[in-house]
Amino acid sequence: QVQLVESGGGLVQAGGSLRLSCAASGPRFSSYAMAWFRQAPGKEREFVSAINRSGGSAAYADSVKGRFAISIDNAKNTVYLQMNSLNPGDTAVYYCAGSLYGGKTPNSYNYWGQGTQVTVSS
């Protein structure tokens, strides 16, 4: 069973940066596409970014394009989300997800981490 553990969340002022990490383990993990989603209170879980296994192809939500960067370190089985120029609208619980096929919808992903809180103060 694939296990995903996020870390790196916290409280930051508007304009600041954070880097989230997602450490993965389990069988066939090396075949999985990885993604980040987020969910703010009272809102649905939304796509943030995804990356293919080789790291050669990445996708971003329009709301984070140019500010966030996803990367993968296959040697460490870890996916990162570098978040810059944060604003209060980025406040949410951020989840790491894994799937054999990838995509931009939560239903496309089989495995999920427990989430890490990101809070951006104005």
Side-chain angles (χ1 to χ4, degrees):
Q1 177 141 352
V2 173
Q3 292 185 324
L4 305 175
V5 179
E6 302 99 333
S7 61
L11 174 64
V12 64
Q13 288 188 332
S17 299
L18 283 174
R19 189 176 80 156
L20 305 183
S21 300
C22 172
S25 61
R28 300 185 68 191
F29 171 73
S30 60
S31 301
Y32 281 68
M34 302 298 295
W36 289 94
F37 288 79
R38 66 186 182 187
Q39 188 165 17
K43 295 188 177 181
E44 294 186 351
R45 193 167 297 190
E46 66 173 1
F47 171 78
V48 174
S49 182
I51 191 166
N52 68 348
R53 198 58 216 187
S54 69
S57 178
Y60 297 93
D62 288 343
S63 60
V64 307
K65 203 170 292 183
R67 300 188 298 123
F68 290 11
I70 191 171
S71 61
I72 190 165
D73 185 335
N74 284 308
K76 296 182 178 179
N77 282 350
T78 300
V79 181
Y80 303 98
L81 185 68
Q82 178 66 43
M83 306 186 295
N84 299 325
S85 301
L86 286 161
N87 61 64
D90 295 316
T91 295
V93 177
Y94 283 71
Y95 296 91
C96 175
S99 165
L100 280 175
Y101 305 108
K104 297 184 178 181
T105 61
N107 288 342
S108 301
Y109 290 83
N110 312 82
Y111 299 102
W112 292 85
Q114 82 287 353
T116 185
Q117 176 70 47
V118 171
T119 303
V120 184
S121 63
S122 56

